[in-house]
């Protein structure tokens, strides 16, 4: 892993830089505020999308993800990222290649064609776990970085799937009723609220969003109903793809099902940015499909 | 082998189709392929239903992951690969987390999808993602509205990825070409049009 | 003492067994036999379908007589199975039985190399050659007889331990019954009713508890743990820790000269005690004081002070008055008893089912375990037998039973085995709520209903007929409604192929069981092995289910593996019977694998003394010299001293250095012959 625990190659993925650039801006700024430098990982590509590529041919998925890891290896750095889907590809392929010689040899044979070699010298982290880790940042330091507490805001947490599951391979412990992200939210002064079936999937993964949009949206809608039941001002997540599904999904749900929710959707880094004093403009919150204004009114 | 009833009336032929399970109609190698690709001992499934009970897709569809496990053990390859439900798994891994036999039904489903692709059975959106990545390195590429927003935020219009450094694209294309993925995607998509 | 013998010219007979097709299926038995004929010292070689059969054994005896053999080799199964058989055959032929050597070509060969016949045959030849090399150097040995102490010990005072103790005592054997808790009775005393007869558990158990207490042949040692064990079959010295109870019995009072004193179980002390603690017998669902009994039917009826909780206010001492039963200065006491045999009946614990996060035990109020259900449905339990929801005290109407909760689980979190009695008690639970709560419906989530015992399947029929609903599907997860505290049980009805979200008032988890907390420590003290899952290992799963590989130590009940009450009692009677045999015979033969000092070589340095794990060695004066001496009865033949002795002065009988060297040579060099 990196010699420096506070410097990481920042793997952007697709949706954060290309649909919600506020997440990218927030991640860089908010991390700097708690002592983490995110450096550009030049030439990175799509992770690639684990649902699509994994479904087509796992071997391509391994090789493509490995290429992204090798870019960080060449920098001599660990990777930090902000998306569960990217985590699934980058973390898991890195992990598999480190522990399965046969797989690694196969991937390296392909990488050789582009003068690359997977060595297994880098680790992969989700920024959220670095924030939670007291040896890197920790909840206390996070709370100390808050300039504008999100007091009075009731926030539902959506953990998503590919960060913590399958739990046996990962290191996050309880995947049935985790509370660590609630701690991250509480550190910002907001009130994390519990709702029915909070660990349920957003519905978008596995290529389902593209394959059968109403099926995916029906899952999303169920989650939104459960959040509405307890009354929330926003939902936060650590996955731009989940964010897309909840945010644009609400527009699609309205179109296709005639049901309206109006729950603002914010990536944790956007939430953290707001708490650290970044303005809605600094975060391009106007790009969100669901108006964030009601939430901002609550906290500003 | 299922009894062939060449009834003149096609509808009746389908309605009265022999539905028994016959060993010759099955492929015993199928489960082995699933296990090899999915890296999970799928044949150890004891059909408890924990997977389906955990599945967010099951309550709103006819998708039953347990049945896919069962059918793969019985070698019902044809039935599995042509079943549109195969593509309803959101890969949430809840079944894998809870499976008491320590199997990874999610990965078994991914393996079955890989096997379907080998027979050109694949939803179009999956292939479109391949084309996009081949072109730009991104499954969800940049656009003008986003470039403007990036500029406002003080970010470069193009992110520090293949977008800003297209010199990395040939390497990506080489990997995809190694598996002839783009070629196959183009071909299958063209066939469907 | 032993001397290195001058060996007579060895004449070895080799017999290769087919074991039907078990061996002959993958090993060319004829080729092995022909090969044996080419080996040095081999006078005769033969093969036979089943060497362990009478004709097979006769072959050995006849060959010894006709060919004047000095050693016998049988290439067959594991010596664990038939070494005694062939030793007897050797003896029947007039040879010392320790002139026999076995080559294992089944378990370690044909069974594991089923698909490599050539290699297996070659390996069998190696094994035979090695065995012949050793057989050529074997010597006459005489087993040692030692007297057996006419007393037995039973560790664990549950129903199995009590039954074993009663049987032993009733067979005229003085029996120590050691129980760690303040009362005997074990898990069975926590149960309400028992399947399939629906007997009240306490009602059928209490008479047995009284029998144990009254039996003059049983010395009941409650609140006592095994501290140390020394010795061997016939002569175990067991050190016991009598934990400080803080209350003395009338007998102990008499010894102390307190006339008419000692605990009468009146409970006055408990009345006044100001300290309140959860009662573990009620699984923490009811309080007890710092001076307590578990429940009214305890045996012995003697109070106990929880010194971890006691504030030593002295109110209990005052309340006890002239009986002077309470002694707040009590300390642990130790005693050592000598017994010939031991029965372990260590019982089980409930697996900590909260580790399976998906079912929310300890997170959701209304998810309970089956054992908690037993206490809640029991008339003498904390609610007087009224089953209530822990969240609000309401009577539940819709109750889900989750079977295989943590059993049949290969994830590494739960237990891979079937806990064996959960199906049946869950059926019983279903019956109980139908009987007690009008309109209540039990929903039983199951994978298989395992109703294998006598009248068990009939019981299943009865409960189904009474209206229990069976859903064939394992519960995926449980979610709690934060307002009503009702539970949503998610599963698939696999027979319908339809997901279920069932809202219920109460969930009962039929949690897996695991070896009791003390099992690991106790088994180590007695040198008993355990299987991978932690249950104690029987000597043979089918043919010696009560014995262990440690002579003189036997197993009863769940500590050997999950079993219900009838099976536990049956095994306890078997274990008691087995444990009584050496005692009634009065002596046991020990395998003569002792270390022997070759006194002419011994320098008397004494360095071996501390090496011996069994304290079997000492230094003695002999003919003006200091030499080592072995106490044969203590020696286990482990070879530590023999391998260590700098002068090579220790001879390990039956595993002597020249014998082992000959085996190694035969393996490394002989193959080229």
């Amino acid at each position: 892993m990196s010699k420096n625990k506070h410097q990481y190659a920042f793997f952007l993925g697709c949706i954060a830089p290309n649909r919600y650039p506020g997440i990218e801006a927030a991640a860089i700024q908010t991390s700097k505020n708690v002592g983490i430098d995110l450096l550009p990982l030049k030439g990175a590509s799509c992770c690639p999308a684990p649902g699509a590529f994994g479904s087509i041919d796992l071997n391509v998925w391994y090789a493509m993800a490995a290429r992204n890891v090798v870019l960080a290896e060449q920098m001599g750095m660990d990777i930090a990222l902000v998306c569960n889907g990217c985590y699934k590809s980058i973390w898991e392929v890195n992990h598999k290649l480190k522990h399965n010689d046969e797989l690694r040899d196969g991937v390296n044979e392909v990488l050789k064609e582009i003068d690359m070699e997977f060595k297994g010298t880098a680790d992969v982290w989700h920024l959220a776990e670095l924030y939670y880790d007291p040896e890197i940042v920790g909840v206390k330091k996070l709370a100390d970085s808050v300039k504008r507490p999100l007091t009075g805001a009731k926030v539902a947490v959506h953990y998503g799937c590919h960060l913590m599951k399958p739990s046996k391979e990962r290191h996050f412990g309880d995947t049935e009723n985790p509370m660590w992200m609630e701690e991250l939210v509480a550190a910002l002064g907001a009130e994390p609220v519990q709702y029915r079936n909070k660990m349920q999937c957003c519905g978008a993964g596995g290529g389902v969003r593209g394959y059968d949009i109403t099926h995916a949206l029906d899952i999303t809608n169920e989650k939104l109903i459960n959040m509405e039941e307890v009354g929330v001002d926003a939902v936060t997540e650590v996955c731009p793809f989940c964010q897309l599904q909840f945010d644009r999904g609400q527009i699609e749900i309205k179109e296709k099902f005639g049901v309206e929710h109006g729950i603002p959707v914010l990536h944790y880094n956007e939430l953290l940015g707001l708490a650290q004093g970044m303005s809605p403009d600094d975060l391009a919150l106007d790009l969100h499909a669901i108006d964030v204004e009601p939430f901002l009114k609550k906290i500003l | 082998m299922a009894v062939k009833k060449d009834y003149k009336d096609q509808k009746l032929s389908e309605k009265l189709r022999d539905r028994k399970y016959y060993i010759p109609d099955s492929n015993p190698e199928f489960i082995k392929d699933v296990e090899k690709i999915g890296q999970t001992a799928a044949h150890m499934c004891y059909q408890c239903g924990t997977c389906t009970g955990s599945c967010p897709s099951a309550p709103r569809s006819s998708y039953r992951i347990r049945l896919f496990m069962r059918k793969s053990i019985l070698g019902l390859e044809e039935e599995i690969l042509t079943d549109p439900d195969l593509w309803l798994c959101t890969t949430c891994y809840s079944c894998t987390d809870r499976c008491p036999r320590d199997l990874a039904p999610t990965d078994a489903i991914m393996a079955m999808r890989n096997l379907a692709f080998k027979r050109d059975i694949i939803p179009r959106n999956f292939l479109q993602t391949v084309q996009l990545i081949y072109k730009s390195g991104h499954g969800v590429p940049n656009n003008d509205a986003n470039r403007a927003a990036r500029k406002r935020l003080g970010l470069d219009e193009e992110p520090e990825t293949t977008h800003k450094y297209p010199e990395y694209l040939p390497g990506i294309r080489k990997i995809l070409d190694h598996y002839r993925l783009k070629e196959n995607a183009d071909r299958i998509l063209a066939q469907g049009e | 003492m032993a001397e290195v013998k001058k060996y007579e010219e060895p004449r070895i007979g080799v017999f290769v067994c087919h074991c039907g097709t078990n061996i002959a299926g993958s090993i060319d038995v004829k080729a092995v036999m022909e090969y044996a004929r080419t080996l040095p010292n081999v006078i005769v070689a033969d093969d036979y379908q089943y060497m362990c059969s009478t004709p097979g054994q006769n072959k050995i005896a006849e060959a010894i007589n006709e060919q004047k053999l000095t050693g016998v080799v049988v290439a067959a199964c594991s010596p664990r199975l038939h070494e005694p058989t062939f030793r007897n055959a050797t003896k029947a032929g007039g040879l010392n039985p320790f002139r026999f050597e076995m080559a294992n070509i089944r378990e370690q060969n044909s069974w594991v190399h089923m698909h490599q016949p050539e290699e297996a045959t070659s390996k069998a030849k190696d094994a035979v050659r090695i065995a012949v090399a050793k057989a050529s150097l074997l010597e006459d040995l005489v087993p040692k007889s030692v007297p057996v102490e006419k007393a037995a010990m039973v560790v664990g005072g549950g129903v199995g331990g009590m039954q074993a103790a009663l049987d032993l005592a009733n067979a005229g054997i003085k029996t120590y019954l050691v129980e760690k808790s303040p009362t005997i009775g074990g898990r069975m005393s926590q149960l309400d009713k028992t399947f399939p007869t629906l007997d009240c558990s306490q009602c059928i158990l209490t008479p047995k508890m009284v029998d144990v207490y009254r039996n003059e042949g049983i010395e009941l040692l409650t609140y006592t743990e095994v501290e140390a064990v020394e010795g061997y079959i016939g002569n175990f010295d067991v050190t016991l820790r009598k934990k400080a109870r803080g209350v003395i019995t009338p007998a102990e009072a008499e010894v102390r000269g307190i006339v008419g004193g000692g605990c009468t179980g009146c409970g006055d002390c408990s009345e006044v005690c100001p300290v309140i603690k959860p009662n573990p017998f009620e699984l923490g669902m009811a309080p007890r004081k710092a001076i307590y009994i578990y429940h009214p039917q305890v045996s012995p009826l003697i109070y106990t002070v929880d010194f971890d909780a006691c504030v030593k206010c002295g109110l209990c001492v005052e309340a006890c008055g002239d009986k002077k039963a309470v002694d707040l200065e009590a300390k642990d006491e130790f005693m050592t008893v000598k017994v010939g045999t031991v029965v372990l009946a260590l019982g089980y614990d409930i697996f900590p089912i909260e580790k399976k996060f998906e079912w929310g035990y300890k997170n959701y109020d209304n998810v309970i375990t089956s054992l908690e259900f037993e206490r809640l449905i029991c008339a003498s339990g904390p609610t007087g037998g009224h089953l209530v929801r822990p969240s609000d005290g309401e009577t539940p109407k819709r109750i889900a039973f989750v079977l295989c909760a943590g059993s049949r689980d290969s994830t590494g979190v739960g237990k891979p085995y079937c806990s064996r009695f959960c199906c049946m008690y869950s059926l019983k639970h279903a019956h109980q709520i139908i009987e007690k709560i009008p309109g209540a419906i039990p929903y039983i989530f199951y994978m298989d209903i395992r109703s294998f015992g006598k009248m068990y399947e009939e019981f299943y029929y009865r409960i189904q007929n009474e209206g229990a609903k069976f859903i064939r599907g394992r519960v995926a997860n449980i979610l709690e409604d934060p307002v009503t505290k009702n539970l949503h049980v998610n599963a698939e009805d696999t027979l319908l192929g339809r997901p279920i979200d069932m809202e219920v008032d109460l969930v009962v988890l039929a949690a897996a069981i695991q070896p009791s907390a003390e099992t690991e420590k106790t088994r180590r003290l007695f040198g008993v092995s355990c299987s991978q899952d932690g249950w104690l290992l029987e000597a043979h799963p089918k043919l010696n289910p009560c014995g262990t590989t440690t002579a003189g130590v036997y197993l009863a009940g769940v500590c050997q593996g999950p079993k219900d009450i009838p099976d536990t009692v049956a095994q306890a009677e078997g274990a008691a019977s087995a444990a009584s045999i050496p005692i009634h015979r009065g002596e046991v033969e020990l395998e003569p694998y002792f270390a022997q000092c070759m006194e002419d070589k011994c320098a008397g340095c004494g360095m071996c003394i501390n090496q011996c794990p069994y304290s079997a060695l000492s230094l003695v004066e002999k003919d003006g010299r200091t030499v080592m001496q072995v106490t044969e009865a203590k020696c286990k033949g482990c070879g530590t001293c023999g391998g260590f002795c700098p002068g090579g002065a220790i001879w390990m009988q039956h595993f002597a250095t020249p014998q082992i060297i000959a085996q190694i040579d035969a393996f490394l060099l002989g193959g080229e012959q």
Side-chain angles (χ1 to χ4, degrees), chain C residues 351-371:
Chain C
F351 167 73
I353 196 64
E354 63 273 21
K355 287 188 181 173
K356 297 295 287 184
F357 299 122
E358 56 264 49
W359 298 317
Y361 179 63
K362 287 198 174 167
N363 192 9
Y364 306 147
D365 290 345
N366 294 326
V367 175
I368 63 172
T369 67
S370 297
L371 200 55

Side-chain angles (χ1 to χ4, degrees), chain B residues 12-190:
Chain B
L12 274 181
S13 215
E14 171 52 28
K15 180 186 172 221
L16 302 170
R17 177 171 52 87
D18 186 352
R19 280 157 170 89
K20 273 189 194 150
Y21 172 73
Y22 295 93
I23 290 171
D25 295 340
S26 70
N27 174 9
E29 296 303 311
F30 185 72
I31 182 74
K32 293 178 191 162
D33 292 342
V34 168
E35 296 197 346
K36 189 158 178 279
I37 299 168
Q39 304 265 301
T40 186
H43 71 285
M44 293 307 294
C45 172
Y46 62 18
Q47 294 286 302
C48 66
T50 301
C51 46
T52 305
S54 302
C55 180
S57 280
R60 61 204 90 240
S61 72
S62 53
Y63 171 56
R64 298 290 176 267
I65 185 163
R66 177 182 56 82
L67 285 178
F68 277 99
M69 297 295 280
R70 182 83 198 123
K71 287 174 181 174
S72 63
I73 291 168
L74 289 175
L76 296 170
E77 180 179 9
E78 195 63 29
E79 216 168 295
I80 288 171
L81 299 186
T82 56
D83 188 341
D85 286 351
L86 178 60
W87 308 91
L88 286 179
C89 170
T90 67
T91 68
C92 78
Y93 281 90
S94 294
C95 55
T96 300
D97 252 26
R98 292 176 187 151
C99 174
R101 278 272 158 119
D102 208 21
L103 309 178
T106 319
D107 292 338
I109 287 292
M110 295 302 267
M112 291 177 220
R113 288 180 177 185
N114 277 208
L115 290 165
F117 175 67
K118 285 189 179 159
R119 291 173 46 173
D120 290 356
I121 303 170
I122 182 96
R124 299 176 69 80
N125 63 295
F126 290 72
L127 299 178
Q128 283 150 1
T129 306
V130 172
Q131 288 179 326
L132 286 170
I133 291 179
Y134 195 86
K135 194 173 162 207
S136 69
H138 282 286
V140 183
N142 208 350
N143 58 33
D144 285 339
N146 191 64
R147 284 187 192 98
R150 292 185 61 87
K151 208 169 172 184
R152 262 197 291 141
L153 291 174
L155 297 167
D156 282 349
E157 282 190 352
E158 299 294 349
E160 303 279 333
T161 62
T162 46
H163 275 332
K164 190 165 170 185
Y165 304 99
E167 60 267 34
Y168 284 90
L169 282 172
I172 288 167
R173 288 172 188 156
K174 248 186 191 166
I175 295 175
L176 294 174
D177 287 339
H178 176 92
Y179 296 97
R180 305 175 69 187
L181 202 58
K182 169 70 165 27
E183 183 189 326
N184 282 322
D186 289 347
R187 180 178 52 79
I188 298 168
L189 283 172

Side-chain angles (χ1 to χ4, degrees), chain C residues 177-194:
Chain C
L177 177 56
V178 179
E179 167 57 48
K180 67 173 191 305
S181 303
T183 175
I184 53 172
R187 290 279 171 221
M188 189 175 163
S189 61
Q190 289 178 291
L191 309 182
D192 181 40
K193 287 182 176 174
T194 57

Side-chain angles (χ1 to χ4, degrees), chain C residues 44-59:
Chain C
V44 56
D46 202 352
D47 65 290
Y48 193 65
Q49 274 293 316
Y50 293 101
M51 279 306 296
C52 57
S53 65
T54 307
Q57 293 187 52
N58 288 344
K59 272 180 181 287

Side-chain angles (χ1 to χ4, degrees), chain C residues 270-290:
Chain C
S270 191
E271 284 287 307
V272 298
C273 177
V275 181
I276 293 174
K277 282 274 162 187
N279 185 354
F281 181 81
E282 303 290 2
L283 308 167
M285 295 185 293
R288 68 157 165 78
K289 299 295 187 66

Side-chain angles (χ1 to χ4, degrees), chain C residues 282-465:
Chain C
E282 303 290 2
L283 308 167
M285 295 185 293
R288 68 157 165 78
K289 299 295 187 66
I291 185 163
Y292 67 96
I293 52 172
Y294 274 173
H295 58 88
Q297 286 113 318
V298 295
S299 179
L301 179 52
I302 302 289
Y303 274 73
T304 303
V305 178
D306 174 356
F307 281 107
D308 291 334
C310 173
V311 295
K312 300 211 174 178
C313 65
L315 286 173
C316 54
V317 180
E318 227 168 89
C320 189
D322 291 343
K323 294 194 292 288
K324 293 187 176 164
V326 182
D327 174 8
L328 295 181
E329 301 307 316
K331 294 270 174 294
D332 289 3
E333 288 170 20
F334 295 90
M335 63 187 282
T336 299
V337 298
K338 201 176 210 26
V339 295
T341 56
V342 176
V343 174
L344 300 181
L346 306 176
Y348 67 93
D349 286 339
I350 302 293
F351 167 73
I353 196 64
E354 63 273 21
K355 287 188 181 173
K356 297 295 287 184
F357 299 122
E358 56 264 49
W359 298 317
Y361 179 63
K362 287 198 174 167
N363 192 9
Y364 306 147
D365 290 345
N366 294 326
V367 175
I368 63 172
T369 67
S370 297
L371 200 55
E372 287 167 338
F373 180 94
E374 291 285 350
R375 296 315 302 153
L376 290 172
I377 202 81
C378 180
S380 66
T383 55
H386 297 289
L387 182 67
V388 293
R389 276 156 52 101
S391 69
D392 54 13
E394 293 291 318
T395 303
K397 286 288 171 84
R398 301 162 300 178
I399 303 169
F401 292 91
V402 179
L403 268 55
C404 297
S407 302
R408 305 177 66 190
D409 178 319
S410 322
T411 61
V413 180
K415 301 293 176 184
Y417 45 80
C418 165
S419 292
R420 241 171 142 250
F421 44 65
C422 331
C423 283
M424 291 308 296
Y425 71 56
S426 295
L427 291 174
K428 178 200 68 177
H429 290 169
H431 163 82
Q432 286 173 297
I433 61 167
I434 290 169
E435 184 183 62
K436 282 202 166 183
I437 305 171
I441 304 176
Y443 296 96
I444 299 176
F445 289 86
Y446 72 101
M447 289 194 276
D448 304 283
I449 294 289
R450 296 185 168 173
S451 53
F452 48 84
K454 186 172 178 178
M455 297 303 286
Y456 288 10
E457 184 65 18
E458 292 87 336
F459 189 67
Y460 177 18
Y461 181 97
R462 171 180 171 180
I463 306 311
Q464 194 172 5
N465 192 36

